[in-house]
Amino acid sequence: MKMEKLMYNTITVLDTSIATENLGDFIIMDAVHKQLRTLFPESFFVNTATHDTMGREAKQWQRKSQYTFIGGTNLLTDRFRGRNRAQWKYGLRDREVTGAIGLGLGWQSYLEYHRPIDIPLKYAQKLIYDRALSTKYIHSVRDSYTQKRLARMGIESINTACVTMWGLTPELLANIPTAKANTVVTTITNYWQSPEYLKAYRQLIETLLVNYKTVKLWIQAREDIEIFNKLNVEGAERVIFIAPNLSAYDEALSEPVDYIGTRLHAGIRALQHQRRSLIVELDNRAREIANDTNLPTIDYRHIQDVANFINQNYAMNIKVPFTNIEKWRSQFIK
């Protein structure tokens, strides 16, 4: 009896969780690997960084790979920043790295948040994306804003929502409690520290302390502790810290809890664990995904409305674009 010959292909993954302490990137890449493993169960995977420059060995693997995927986060931007400042360290010297396929890609920031961009810089950015991103396959993007920005560059994509949401089936969402738990997990964000954000963090935590028996704070960056200490929250001694790793957070989510905090992917991770969640919008990321999917969010400027969410029944009526997800996946299913 002849054994069937199997093809063990190599796939390169541009991994956004390497060379960063941002635990949200670990949540994203966990979802990326789960999806790619279901698509390519018999392939070898080689991971290389996006937050650091790609070395010679990684480039050699990328050239030999059947596919190259880039794990989605807010990597794309209006402004060409080169290898020194960009979240995706891809510059003109990386011309040999081509054809990456986006999986839940998102835009880093809005054009109006910056000064006007010079035409040469916009042209340089388009040249880079034309080369770095695949022209053969449709890219998966996390929101319609990103889809529109890529379309202006002539790059085809489909809005699949964030890859972390692909497992949020109607059956899973239906099992999430609608009433509040006794314990809540919260987060704050170290890279938003202006007075208006600090005021919102303080009001958020004080609201949670009033409405929950137990309040836990998941630390995602060392500055989170410094921020918390200078908030001078009344009742701060009641707040329990969760260690800054994904295992500790998953353990906290294994018990009946709510999630109400500023970290987008911490909120989505809570939903994966069938926990009632509300994400406080600090920038465009949560807002854009919420516009497309009805993800439960609230603007930090209306933080006083958190109490309304806590004390009323609230169903997680999230609309994940499963048809678009299957369309993207079908490119690789033979």
Side-chain angles (χ1 to χ4, degrees):
M1 183 177 175
K2 258 188 171 180
M3 284 187 80
E4 183 182 358
K5 186 177 180 182
L6 296 175
M7 294 297 293
Y8 295 102
N9 299 308
T10 299
I11 292 173
T12 293
V13 179
L14 301 179
D15 190 332
T16 55
S17 68
I18 298 174
T20 179
E21 69 171 3
N22 186 342
L23 295 175
D25 288 333
F26 287 82
I27 295 172
I28 293 169
M29 291 309 304
D30 181 55
V32 165
H33 284 296
K34 284 178 181 176
Q35 293 299 326
L36 292 180
R37 287 291 181 193
T38 63
L39 279 172
F40 310 103
E42 295 168 348
S43 294
F44 293 103
F45 287 83
V46 177
N47 284 33
T48 186
T50 57
H51 291 297
D52 204 350
T53 53
M54 187 182 290
R56 185 173 62 180
E57 289 292 324
K59 289 177 180 178
Q60 289 177 352
W61 278 114
Q62 197 266 339
R63 283 195 296 269
K64 293 186 288 186
S65 294
Q66 181 185 18
Y67 300 108
T68 297
F69 291 94
I70 182 163
T73 180
N74 55 328
L75 287 181
L76 305 180
T77 178
D78 297 293
R79 189 181 301 280
F80 170 62
R81 299 184 182 186
R83 290 156 58 107
N84 294 327
R85 295 181 59 201
Q87 288 203 49
W88 182 7
K89 296 293 191 296
Y90 188 103
L92 295 174
R93 286 181 288 169
D94 301 299
R95 291 188 297 272
E96 61 201 277
V97 181
T98 62
I101 305 164
L103 179 45
L105 285 177
W107 217 260
Q108 182 178 345
S109 56
Y110 287 160
L111 180 63
E112 58 264 28
Y113 290 173
H114 302 289
R115 65 183 183 276
I117 297 175
D118 296 334
I119 295 300
L121 292 178
K122 291 179 70 174
Y123 181 67
Q125 193 73 345
K126 184 180 185 307
L127 283 178
I128 284 177
Y129 289 151
D130 281 344
R131 186 168 188 85
L133 296 175
S134 174
T135 57
K136 181 178 179 181
Y137 296 97
I138 300 172
H139 300 276
S140 154
V141 295
R142 71 183 181 199
D143 54 60
S144 55
Y145 182 85
T146 303
Q147 186 178 22
K148 291 173 185 175
R149 297 314 304 261
L150 285 178
R152 292 180 193 176
M153 296 183 182
I155 298 172
E156 188 176 3
S157 64
I158 188 168
N159 182 3
T160 62
C162 182
V163 64
T164 56
M165 300 177 68
W166 290 13
L168 301 182
T169 62
E171 294 76 19
L172 181 146
L173 294 172
N175 286 319
I176 296 177
T178 58
K180 78 168 186 174
N182 290 323
T183 300
V184 66
V185 175
T186 190
T187 52
I188 54 180
T189 303
N190 63 306
Y191 47 86
W192 294 108
Q193 294 193 44
S194 67
E196 61 179 338
Y197 290 111
L198 296 178
K199 180 181 177 183
Y201 300 157
R202 186 176 191 272
Q203 188 172 349
L204 170 63
I205 295 171
E206 290 182 343
T207 300
L208 299 180
L209 286 166
V210 168
N211 287 276
Y212 288 93
K213 182 178 179 181
T214 304
V215 177
K216 298 182 179 182
L217 174 64
W218 185 34
I219 303 300
Q220 284 205 38
R222 62 182 69 245
E223 294 92 349
D224 287 356
I225 300 174
E226 298 170 9
I227 293 172
F228 177 77
N229 288 336
K230 69 182 180 183
L231 291 178
N232 295 318
V233 172
E234 186 176 349
E237 67 281 355
R238 287 179 48 207
V239 177
I240 301 168
F241 286 1
I242 301 172
N245 61 73
L246 195 52
S247 296
Y249 185 50
D250 284 340
E251 184 178 350
L253 294 175
S254 68
E255 301 175 354
V257 298
D258 290 349
Y259 171 84
I260 304 176
T262 64
R263 299 280 189 165
L264 167 63
H265 292 102
I268 297 175
R269 187 71 165 193
L271 290 168
Q272 293 172 356
H273 282 260
Q274 300 183 357
R275 302 303 172 204
R276 190 169 175 262
S277 300
L278 179 67
I279 297 158
V280 178
E281 302 171 0
L282 298 182
D283 57 20
N284 64 300
R285 288 172 293 175
R287 186 177 307 117
E288 289 299 333
I289 294 174
N291 287 341
D292 294 335
T293 67
N294 202 35
L295 185 72
T297 65
I298 189 170
D299 192 301
Y300 77 95
R301 289 165 290 196
H302 305 297
I303 202 71
Q304 69 277 2
D305 293 336
V306 165
N308 296 332
F309 170 85
I310 295 171
N311 294 301
Q312 67 179 358
N313 286 352
Y314 194 100
M316 300 290 107
N317 186 28
I318 300 168
K319 308 297 183 184
V320 179
F322 291 110
T323 301
N324 287 356
I325 291 168
E326 287 308 310
K327 181 177 179 181
W328 182 84
R329 286 171 56 89
S330 68
Q331 301 177 102
F332 314 104
I333 299 174
K334 299 179 182 178

